[in-house]
Amino acid sequence: MTKGQRMSMRTGITGVAAVVAATLAAGAFAAPALASAPEPGSGHGDRHRATQKAMEAAVNEDAPGVTVQARDRHGAWNSAAGVGNLHDQSPRGAHDHYRVGSITKTFVATVLLQLEADGELDLDDKVGRWLPGVVEGNGHDGDKITVRQLLNHTSGIFEVSADAGFQEKVFTEKFLEHRYDTWTPEEEVAIAMRHKPDFKPGKGWKYSNTNYILAGMIIEKVTGASYADEIGRRIIEPLGLHHTTLPGTDASMPEPSSRAYTKLSDAPDAKNHDVTEFNPSVAGAAGSMISDSADLNRFYTALLRGKLLPKKQLAEMKKTVPRGEDRPDSRYGLGLESLKTSCGKVVWGHGGDIHGSSSMAGTTADGGHALALNFNGPAGDGPSVLEAEFCGK
């Protein structure tokens, strides 16, 4: 299992940076870095010249193409670079759908905060109140963990994707045999409970997809509807996010979209596998969503402008904790991360990696400048594109 695969369900807004060095060391670019010119009428392309240059530099053998939308007071700018299909060398599309991975977490957290605003739950409710007997075993105790600690990754709950058996099925070449398997949240939580927690609740920070699998289960317990239905009713429909879906167990991708690629081995001769189609239930509430850059920009802009949450809940969402000494530029809130760029601008958003797809999306605090992007492989240099857009370099 490569470092890139280990990160594939675990990244925040800057998480893809950790993948870049290991992947680029594997060799020179195999796919030609074809650049797709910004489309006519896409809005003030000269303002995004540095972004286009960064996009073209960021594609590589293990992330052959990138699609981007930036939005500011001048309007939307859509562009792409690189290859969307290695078989026929067709270019990446500027309006591609893609799997957004852990960006799903911001949607899930938003629903839970809406439920708090409605008086249906409290962030300081214990997980055991809503899911009695679920978080138990090997030191885990749901009666000592709050909903807030799930959302900001301070629960200490073991990360399901760190389980050796899970890794073998999901992050090695055995994935090709199991790509259409259906995973249930109960099954994944049970796997996590076989292990000891990473730390006592509130005594550390560690990214764990198990937290958001549980968050999705709590949404269903509180509302009687699935997390996917609640996201649809509360966010997707009101904002008109026509290209955003929670696919459940559907392995297909909507059009337009590019092919998605990843290596499933550390072997020197490992090849890129086409992993476009697979059953996304493996990610569930932690990362199964499909969207496009325009919809993601619309979502994060609406969120930061207070159109989805009352002031109190948005303030709670933006209360952050340190991600660790190795990430001094980044802090984590409730399904929302803040990143301080090199020029001092703060971007609020999230990132997400899942098989063959590496995404980032975020906006300034006033919602006035937003960026969403996706690479169709695990190792595109998303942070450099973000720096280029928000800092012009």
Side-chain angles (χ1 to χ4, degrees):
M1 178 179 60
T2 68
K3 186 175 182 180
Q5 273 98 55
R6 286 196 298 270
M7 294 290 289
S8 70
M9 290 170 58
R10 305 180 63 176
T11 53
I13 194 170
T14 54
V16 288
V19 182
V20 175
T23 310
L24 294 187
F29 300 168
L34 303 175
S36 301
E39 60 187 36
S42 62
H44 300 267
D46 286 348
R47 294 178 51 81
H48 307 280
R49 188 171 296 165
T51 308
Q52 184 69 34
K53 184 177 179 180
M55 291 163 57
E56 293 166 11
V59 296
N60 59 72
E61 175 186 17
D62 297 300
V66 59
T67 183
V68 167
Q69 187 196 74
R71 181 178 288 276
D72 57 21
R73 62 189 178 88
H74 298 283
W77 177 79
N78 299 281
S79 189
V83 178
N85 187 322
L86 293 177
H87 178 70
D88 63 13
Q89 294 294 299
S90 56
R92 190 75 204 264
H95 296 280
D96 277 351
H97 296 81
Y98 47 84
R99 300 187 191 276
V100 307
S102 287
I103 291 173
T104 309
K105 291 179 172 67
T106 313
F107 287 74
V108 170
T110 299
V111 169
L112 280 168
L113 285 160
Q114 288 179 343
L115 290 171
E116 187 196 50
D118 294 341
E120 297 294 327
L121 57 74
D122 191 287
L123 289 176
D124 295 317
D125 285 347
K126 298 298 191 290
V127 172
R129 173 186 174 184
W130 296 106
L131 302 173
V134 173
V135 182
E136 287 186 359
N138 294 301
H140 288 95
D141 186 350
D143 293 329
K144 295 181 180 179
I145 298 167
T146 66
V147 175
R148 186 192 306 272
Q149 289 166 340
L150 293 181
L151 297 184
N152 66 10
H153 296 297
T154 61
S155 71
I157 293 174
F158 184 82
E159 159 68 294
V160 61
S161 68
D163 174 81
F166 186 95
Q167 289 181 352
E168 185 176 25
K169 283 187 176 181
V170 179
F171 300 123
T172 74
E173 290 191 347
K174 285 196 173 182
F175 170 74
L176 301 175
E177 304 171 24
H178 295 281
R179 66 194 299 167
Y180 299 115
D181 290 358
T182 293
W183 296 75
T184 68
E186 293 80 7
E187 176 184 10
E188 294 192 352
V189 172
I191 291 171
M193 293 303 104
R194 297 173 191 164
H195 302 267
K196 294 180 180 180
D198 291 310
F199 48 81
K200 292 181 179 180
K203 300 300 183 182
W205 188 93
K206 190 172 183 180
Y207 198 93
S208 175
N209 286 294
T210 317
N211 287 323
Y212 275 79
I213 294 167
L214 289 162
M217 294 170 71
I218 290 173
I219 289 172
E220 184 166 357
K221 188 73 171 184
V222 174
T223 66
S226 70
Y227 76 90
D229 287 344
E230 289 297 314
I231 289 173
R233 183 173 71 86
R234 293 169 174 269
I235 301 174
I236 293 174
E237 292 176 11
L239 294 183
L241 306 182
H242 302 300
H243 302 285
T244 301
T245 59
L246 279 302
T249 60
D250 186 349
S252 65
M253 283 291 296
E255 294 294 337
S257 61
S258 292
R259 307 304 294 178
Y261 301 96
T262 197
K263 291 177 180 176
L264 295 165
S265 168
D266 279 326
D269 59 348
K271 66 176 183 178
N272 268 318
H273 295 280
D274 187 324
V275 291
T276 308
E277 288 87 18
F278 66 91
N279 186 331
S281 64
V282 66
S288 66
M289 181 178 284
I290 293 171
S291 190
D292 69 4
S293 296
D295 273 10
L296 292 179
N297 281 338
R298 190 174 297 116
F299 166 67
Y300 279 105
T301 297
L303 178 64
L304 270 294
R305 287 180 170 174
K307 294 183 178 180
L308 291 171
L309 294 173
K311 289 183 179 179
K312 177 183 176 181
Q313 277 69 37
L314 182 57
E316 291 289 338
M317 193 178 213
K318 294 172 72 176
K319 286 183 179 178
T320 59
V321 295
R323 287 182 59 112
E325 294 181 1
D326 60 333
R327 300 287 297 280
D329 62 337
S330 174
R331 295 176 63 89
Y332 203 92
L334 305 183
L336 189 68
E337 185 178 2
S338 67
L339 169 69
K340 188 174 183 179
T341 63
S342 63
C343 58
K345 292 181 180 179
V346 175
V347 179
W348 291 90
H350 212 286
D353 286 0
I354 194 167
H355 289 70
S357 183
S358 181
S359 308
M360 298 176 69
T363 182
T364 51
D366 63 358
H369 190 179
L371 175 75
L373 63 88
N374 170 264
F375 289 90
N376 57 340
D381 189 358
S384 70
V385 179
L386 184 143
E387 281 281 330
E389 176 59 31
F390 287 98
C391 297
K393 59 182 180 181

